[in-house]
């Protein structure tokens, strides 16, 4: 039995889970597939307990003993604000973390990598973030910010188009804060043929990515912001996929020329 959760929401341009599963099922029609969702922390716990075989998640720290990580997105966090917000000013291109101390924040829930990175940085700066709104989907965070309900904390580049009002994104600095999306799987213990087939397909669909940098970081390195964007597809909210192979064997079909 092979079970796979596919990971946390870190952006509005989601990894197409439905197409991935449809292609995988077309190649391995004998496998039974089921999909569930949960927080990154719970998905990681399920990996460690053997309930699932592979995951795409936002880690809240380093890989625990017994798990292997492969980073598919590494992005700087930014503050997204509506026009007229006090954080905006002439020629302002970033916002110090201290300026968010007394602001109503809009963020992903606890148990996600973005929230853990924000809370860790705030604790080191000597304050607790005042999170007024939580949502599991980044585009909902951006919509709330576009209505002037607070400052959305998002991975750089995730404010998204056409959310009911323009948003300005300011990279958070002093310190800079980063969040990751990783492909995770148990590093010990037996692996079923079904899990091996699924892991291989996911690694093809989600190649290891370079850091996604903000314009401020790119300028400091003399680099082109476009050239530093992560090349991997962006993941969807944390989800679990259970794959069951008959008698532990997996026989695949070649994808047709019109599918990948």
């Amino acid at each position: 039995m092979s079970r796979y959760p596919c990971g946390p929401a870190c952006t509005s341009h989601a990894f197409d889970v439905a197409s991935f599963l449809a292609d995988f099922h077309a190649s391995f029609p004998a496998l039974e597939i089921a999909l569930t969702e949960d927080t990154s922390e719970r998905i990681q716990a399920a990996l460690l307990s053997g309930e699932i075989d592979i995951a795409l998640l936002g880690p809240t720290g380093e890989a625990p003993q017994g798990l292997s990580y492969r980073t598919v997105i590494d992005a700087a966090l930014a503050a997204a604000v509506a026009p007229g917000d006090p954080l905006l000013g002439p020629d302002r291109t970033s916002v110090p973390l201290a300026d968010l101390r007394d602001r109503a924040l809009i963020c992903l829930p606890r148990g996600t990598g973005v929230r853990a990175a924000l809370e860790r940085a705030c604790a080191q700066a000597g304050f607790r973030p005042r999170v007024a709104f939580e949502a599991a989907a980044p585009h909902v965070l951006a919509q709330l910010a576009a209505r002037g309900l607070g400052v959305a904390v998002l991975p750089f580049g995730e404010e998204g188009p056409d959310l009911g009002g323009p948003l300005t994104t300011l990279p958070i600095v002093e310190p800079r804060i980063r969040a990751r999306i990783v492909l995770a799987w148990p590093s010990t213990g037996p692996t079923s043929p079904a899990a091996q087939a699924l892991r291989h397909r996911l690694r093809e669909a989600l190649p290891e990515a370079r850091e996604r940098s903000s314009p401020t970081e790119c300028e400091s390195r003399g680099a082109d912001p476009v050239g530093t964007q992560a090349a991997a597809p962006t993941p969807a909210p944390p989800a679990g996929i259970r794959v069951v192979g008959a008698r532990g064997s997996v026989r695949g079909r070649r994808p047709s020329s019109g599918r990948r």
Side-chain angles (χ1 to χ4, degrees), residues 120-216:
R120 186 163 52 245
C122 290
Q124 292 172 351
F127 69 96
R128 178 180 298 178
R130 186 160 68 91
V131 178
F133 296 91
E134 294 181 347
H139 75 276
V140 175
L141 305 182
Q143 288 173 336
L144 292 168
R147 300 300 190 273
L149 295 174
V151 179
V153 178
L154 298 164
F156 172 71
E158 300 313 317
E159 67 277 14
D162 194 22
L163 295 174
L167 285 174
T168 298
T169 303
L170 300 171
I172 299 172
V173 297
E174 300 176 21
R176 301 188 188 279
I177 312 173
R178 306 196 69 86
R180 295 185 296 154
I181 300 288
V182 302
L183 193 62
W185 63 90
S187 53
T188 59
T191 303
S192 72
Q196 292 175 3
L198 183 61
R199 183 187 303 174
H200 176 71
R201 284 295 181 87
L202 275 169
R203 290 179 69 131
E204 286 184 339
L206 294 164
E208 192 165 10
R210 295 172 296 172
E211 292 183 356
R212 174 182 291 169
S213 303
S214 68
T216 304

Side-chain angles (χ1 to χ4, degrees), residues 1-120:
M1 181 177 291
S2 172
R3 292 152 280 207
Y4 153 72
C6 168
C10 260
T11 119
S12 54
H13 306 288
F15 172 56
D16 191 345
V17 175
S19 293
F20 175 83
L21 291 180
D23 288 346
F24 186 77
H25 179 67
S27 296
F28 301 98
L31 297 181
E32 177 184 335
I33 304 174
L35 177 68
T36 59
E37 292 187 357
D38 212 328
T39 66
S40 293
E41 282 187 343
R42 289 176 179 171
I43 286 178
Q44 183 167 274
L47 277 170
L48 289 168
S49 68
E51 296 176 33
I52 55 178
D53 294 299
I54 191 167
L56 191 61
L57 54 85
T60 57
E62 295 303 314
Q65 185 175 2
L67 289 186
S68 295
Y69 282 173
R70 180 184 185 186
T71 300
V72 295
I73 289 178
D74 184 343
L77 297 191
V81 296
D85 191 276
L87 291 177
L88 300 177
D91 302 322
R92 189 167 195 179
T93 59
S94 62
V95 56
L97 179 63
D99 286 4
L100 303 180
R101 177 188 294 265
D102 298 318
R103 296 297 307 271
L105 302 182
I106 305 169
C107 193
L108 296 173
R110 283 196 170 100
T112 60
V114 168
R115 181 66 170 269
L118 173 66
E119 292 187 339
R120 186 163 52 245

